[in-house]
Amino acid sequence: DEAKRLGMDQLVLNAQLTAEGFYARFGFQPEGEVFMEAGIAHREMRRRL
């Protein structure tokens, strides 16, 4: 709600692969390839508002 109020049209985050399901429950969709960050596999996730 706050992001919409601020005029944002999307949210983007880098999720650890083990947390993708958690973020998917809130409408985030995985995008792109898996990448390593701090030795942990991640993927960008995006939610359009």
Side-chain angles (χ1 to χ4, degrees), residues 14-46:
N14 292 337
Q16 292 181 14
L17 290 187
T18 57
E20 276 188 327
F22 172 81
Y23 291 111
R25 287 193 298 266
F26 295 97
F28 285 86
Q29 298 295 317
E31 287 196 0
E33 300 296 321
V34 173
F35 62 93
M36 298 301 286
E37 185 175 294
I40 302 168
H42 286 71
R43 185 185 331 259
E44 183 176 289
M45 297 188 79
R46 185 177 308 267

Side-chain angles (χ1 to χ4, degrees), residues 1-20:
D1 291 336
E2 182 68 8
K4 283 183 184 180
R5 187 184 74 73
L6 293 171
M8 296 177 184
D9 63 352
Q10 64 184 337
L11 301 172
V12 180
L13 58 85
N14 292 337
Q16 292 181 14
L17 290 187
T18 57
E20 276 188 327

